[in-house]
Amino acid sequence: ETLEKKYTGKLSRNALSLMQGLLKMDPAERFTGEQALAHPYFDDIRDPADLLNQVAGPTGEHEIDLSAFIAPA
């Protein structure tokens, strides 16, 4: 049974997408910690002020400073 089949209607689309990304068998396809934290599932709890930490890279791509989302060790 697939995750979609088991959890459709029980989880939001974003929750299901996050879970699928985290549970990929191939490590090359699996979400990294940064990708997981940047996933839309967490959009509702992100502080919009933290998004101001975005900086444009040399190719015009944006990187997000995720340090605000990571608890100190």
Side-chain angles (χ1 to χ4, degrees), residues 2-22:
T2 66
L3 289 174
E4 281 183 343
K5 198 173 206 180
K6 184 168 182 128
Y7 292 105
T8 296
K10 297 176 185 172
L11 295 176
S12 69
R13 273 188 253 154
N14 279 334
L16 184 58
S17 170
L18 176 63
M19 188 166 67
Q20 288 172 323
L22 291 170

Side-chain angles (χ1 to χ4, degrees), residues 7-51:
Y7 292 105
T8 296
K10 297 176 185 172
L11 295 176
S12 69
R13 273 188 253 154
N14 279 334
L16 184 58
S17 170
L18 176 63
M19 188 166 67
Q20 288 172 323
L22 291 170
L23 297 175
K24 294 265 185 187
M25 293 299 288
D26 182 351
E29 293 179 13
R30 192 177 308 136
F31 285 168
T32 64
E34 286 185 2
Q35 288 171 323
L37 289 172
H39 192 277
Y41 177 78
F42 297 110
D43 285 351
D44 291 342
I45 61 170
R46 249 186 223 106
D47 183 354
D50 289 333
L51 296 178

